[in-house]
Amino acid sequence: MTLIRRLISSQRSITELDAFTKVDHNFTKATTTGGTVSLLSYILIVILVVFEISMFFKSKIKFLYSVDTDFDSKLNINIDITVAMSCESIGADILDSTNTNNAYTYGRLVEEQTYFALSPAQRSQWTLIREVNNYLRNEHHSLQEVLWKSDVISQRKYDRDLPSREIQPIGPPDACRLHGTLVVNKVSGNFHITVGKHLPMPLGHAHISLFTSESEYNFSHRIERLSFGEYVPSIINPLEGEEKITQSRTQLYNYYVKVMSTDVQTSDLNLKTYQYSTTESERVIDHSSGSHGMPGIYFKYDIDAICAKVVEEYVPIWKFMIRLCGIVGGIYAISGLISSIANTIVDIVTCKYISSNILIKDIDNKGFQTVEGFSVPSDNLSLLYSPESNQQNNGINQ
């Protein structure tokens, strides 16, 4: 018995500490306006909570930047370029700031005879690639929230390589496809495609083109792939999809590439690759007008001193809970204010507070007496004529 008394006493002590006031249901009144506001508030809370939960399971991409101190690693250059000249007439070579002049020091590209003109299916695919790249360069500039997401692996199934030709063209091939990967030093360099094969020399290098006349020059080209570092098929690089058609035999194309080291750490990817930005220029070689040089395609790349780190982050659970509490509590508080305002407006529109002439039965039951200017809320008039009120009046008369 003593234990029960102690429990009751403890319960009363805790009850006295209740800081949240309660209103008895007998003193509350439900209205249609309040019910409508409550229903809309519940719907809004459910919608916002669903959106918040969906955002909780989605990741965000964060970029961190630091100084690149990795000087000893190698740099992969992935190349797939088609030039409108025969493979016997052109040569690809790379020369970096270390002055290494061996033609095969960094690897060797595969030379494949092909046709420069594309089939209808290939042209359709190529047009799509160009439109995407042009949109990124001219309009949106970046798709990092899509390209670096955790589902980047699933994007690899969308192969952006050109499909095979439906029908083989008639006649000998008129173009050369150069593709493969070169492993170079992580320093600035110059990769170029020009007339003749590379010949190393003690103080430089040269391209020998004894059997190619100037009338055969045509440096129209199509860049299907040009990337640095580990190749990620889902990443769209700036020069991929570039196509240049020239009418001049001595055209020189210059691409200036700025390469930035990028460390990717996401839930599905953990690799070290490179991004790059590019500018370009072109001109016609005409020695008589002072435009000197050697016709060809030149990619002059430089390594940026800044290293980027791509990190995939999720919303912490504590922040998620705070947001949920803010949504529910904020909407509940605001809905109460809206309900009060709405009830006031409804009362005004329905003339609740307008004075009315009311007939009240006198105590002698001899008739009705009119009381002028007696202001009673309209929703309380029913109380004056309800059976309960009549019974009370009869009781008084008796």
Side-chain angles (χ1 to χ4, degrees), residues 128-144:
L128 178 61
I129 295 175
R130 295 194 68 186
E131 289 178 352
V132 172
N133 282 10
N134 288 333
Y135 175 76
L136 290 178
R137 285 195 294 262
N138 302 326
E139 299 290 339
H140 200 66
H141 303 295
S142 179
L143 283 178
Q144 68 269 13

Side-chain angles (χ1 to χ4, degrees), residues 87-106:
C87 294
E88 292 80 10
S89 303
I90 60 174
D93 182 32
I94 190 167
L95 182 66
D96 62 21
S97 57
T98 61
N99 292 322
T100 304
N101 297 315
N102 189 337
Y104 303 134
T105 299
Y106 306 121

Side-chain angles (χ1 to χ4, degrees), residues 128-355:
L128 178 61
I129 295 175
R130 295 194 68 186
E131 289 178 352
V132 172
N133 282 10
N134 288 333
Y135 175 76
L136 290 178
R137 285 195 294 262
N138 302 326
E139 299 290 339
H140 200 66
H141 303 295
S142 179
L143 283 178
Q144 68 269 13
E145 288 296 329
V146 177
L147 300 179
W148 299 112
K149 283 284 188 172
S150 59
D151 59 350
V152 70
I153 295 298
S154 64
Q155 300 179 26
R156 298 191 178 196
K157 62 183 180 181
Y158 301 107
D159 195 357
R160 290 184 288 118
D161 293 336
L162 295 179
S164 303
R165 294 179 181 273
E166 305 93 323
I167 302 176
Q168 289 295 327
I170 300 175
D174 60 352
C176 181
R177 179 190 175 197
L178 303 169
H179 59 95
T181 300
L182 301 176
V183 182
V184 301
N185 299 314
K186 193 178 175 181
V187 293
S188 58
N190 182 353
F191 169 72
H192 51 271
I193 302 173
T194 187
V195 178
K197 299 300 181 181
H198 168 73
L199 178 64
M201 301 179 65
L203 298 179
H205 75 291
H207 287 261
I208 305 301
S209 56
L210 299 177
F211 304 102
T212 305
S213 63
E214 188 173 312
S215 60
E216 299 177 0
Y217 290 5
N218 186 357
F219 285 100
S220 299
H221 61 281
R222 185 167 50 245
I223 304 175
E224 298 182 29
R225 183 178 303 164
L226 182 67
S227 62
F228 295 83
E230 185 174 345
Y231 178 62
V232 182
S234 61
I235 302 303
I236 301 175
N237 295 290
L239 286 178
E240 294 178 353
E242 190 72 23
E243 185 177 35
K244 298 289 186 181
I245 306 297
T246 179
Q247 303 298 327
S248 174
R249 300 295 180 182
T250 59
Q251 191 78 14
L252 184 147
Y253 295 97
N254 276 320
Y255 297 95
Y256 304 94
V257 180
K258 192 72 171 181
V259 183
M260 175 184 287
S261 177
T262 305
D263 187 12
V264 183
Q265 295 181 2
T266 64
S267 56
D268 289 335
L269 283 178
N270 189 0
L271 56 88
K272 189 179 179 87
T273 184
Y274 294 84
Q275 302 179 82
Y276 67 88
S277 59
T278 179
T279 56
E280 59 184 76
S281 66
E282 57 182 83
R283 60 186 174 92
V284 177
I285 301 299
D286 187 358
H287 298 286
S288 60
S289 61
S291 179
H292 303 291
M294 187 173 183
I297 308 168
Y298 296 83
F299 299 89
K300 300 177 181 179
Y301 62 90
D302 192 13
I303 309 299
D304 202 320
I306 301 299
C307 175
K309 186 175 182 180
V310 181
V311 180
E312 186 178 18
E313 291 186 342
Y314 290 87
V315 178
I317 184 66
W318 62 268
K319 187 178 293 187
F320 170 70
M321 297 302 298
I322 291 176
R323 289 180 178 178
L324 288 183
C325 295
I327 290 173
V328 177
I331 294 179
Y332 183 79
I334 294 175
S335 63
L337 178 61
I338 295 175
S339 178
S340 300
I341 296 174
N343 283 326
T344 303
I345 295 174
V346 170
D347 292 340
I348 294 175
V349 172
T350 56
C351 305
K352 178 178 179 180
Y353 297 106
I354 296 179
S355 299

